[in-house]
Amino acid sequence: MERTSAQYLLSRLTVSSSRSQFFKGESLSLSCEEDDSSAGWTVRRNTSKRQSQCGDGWGKLSGSSCDISYIFPHDSGVYWCESRRGSTSNIISITVVPGKIRLWSGAVILQSPVLPVREGHDVSLQCKTEDSSELPPTGHMTIHHVTKSDEGVYKCHISSRGESPPGWIYVTGQELHFGFNTYFIHSQT
């Protein structure tokens, strides 16, 4: 479906925790911030299982918000808002890691902004483990005055736990940017 800028600006999907990576069992709320409440906005998703809307076997619909009380790895996928007329919002990618069950991939997540960051603003990134109380402070990094060159894939790596799934940092600005960079935040425990 072709999107016009007018359609794109009618609604914006936001996530309660302002991050895109979660451990199994966490809760989250997705909301359609809408300019036109009569358009009937709802949260939709596309996962490895199928494409569906909130309330259709997942989540609890409340107006134009969707609450998920216990998230599973199979809830990983892309989420967006869609109106009855077919207009769509921004897309947010959600990744759910299984936690302690699979230490090689599920013990670490990256806390990073889920929405694009405007050039010139600061961005904080942090490594998080499911049982962070057992660890000394984990990796933390602040990028001051971000530019398009900071846009790319970021990952956490904690030596005793492993690596987080990749997380994109998108930077909004005037210039075009092609390609991407990969960055790691390291933490020794």
Side-chain angles (χ1 to χ4, degrees), residues 14 21 46 52 57 60 65 90 130 137 151 169-171 176:
T14 60
Q21 295 184 10
N46 192 1
S52 59
K60 183 179 179 183
S65 294
N90 58 307
E130 194 172 19
E151 186 172 79
I169 300 295
Y170 296 97
V171 180
L176 293 174

Side-chain angles (χ1 to χ4, degrees), residues 147-168:
T147 66
K148 289 295 280 185
S149 65
D150 296 310
E151 186 172 79
V153 177
Y154 289 75
K155 295 180 182 180
C156 286
H157 179 83
I158 298 177
S159 58
S160 63
R161 294 304 178 98
E163 191 172 282
S164 73
W168 269 92

Side-chain angles (χ1 to χ4, degrees), residues 69-157:
S69 59
Y70 192 103
I71 196 160
F72 291 93
H74 65 257
D75 292 313
S76 295
V78 292
Y79 291 72
W80 69 94
C81 297
E82 190 169 308
S83 74
R84 285 190 291 259
R85 297 182 204 131
S87 297
T88 57
S89 71
N90 58 307
I91 293 173
I92 290 177
S93 178
I94 299 289
T95 304
V96 184
V97 296
K100 295 177 184 176
I101 297 169
R102 296 170 66 183
L103 290 175
W104 62 271
S105 66
V108 181
I109 62 172
L110 170 67
Q111 289 190 196
S112 62
V114 68
L115 296 174
V117 180
R118 190 169 297 281
E119 280 188 310
H121 289 192
D122 295 346
V123 177
S124 291
L125 307 171
Q126 185 172 4
C127 298
K128 184 179 177 185
T129 61
E130 194 172 19
D131 53 356
S132 57
S133 61
E134 296 178 14
L135 299 173
T138 56
H140 185 272
M141 180 172 82
T142 300
I143 304 170
H144 297 284
H145 311 293
V146 295
T147 66
K148 289 295 280 185
S149 65
D150 296 310
E151 186 172 79
V153 177
Y154 289 75
K155 295 180 182 180
C156 286
H157 179 83

Side-chain angles (χ1 to χ4, degrees), residues 2 13 35 37 45 48-49 66 76 79 107-108 148 181 185:
E2 185 177 322
L13 179 63
D35 290 342
S37 60
R45 76 178 187 182
S48 60
K49 292 190 171 202
C66 184
S76 295
Y79 291 72
V108 181
K148 289 295 280 185
N181 303 307
I185 305 169

Side-chain angles (χ1 to χ4, degrees), residues 25-42:
E26 289 191 271
S27 63
L28 75 143
S29 180
L30 302 121
S31 299
C32 299
E33 293 180 351
E34 53 199 277
D35 290 342
D36 181 6
S37 60
S38 67
W41 292 94
T42 190

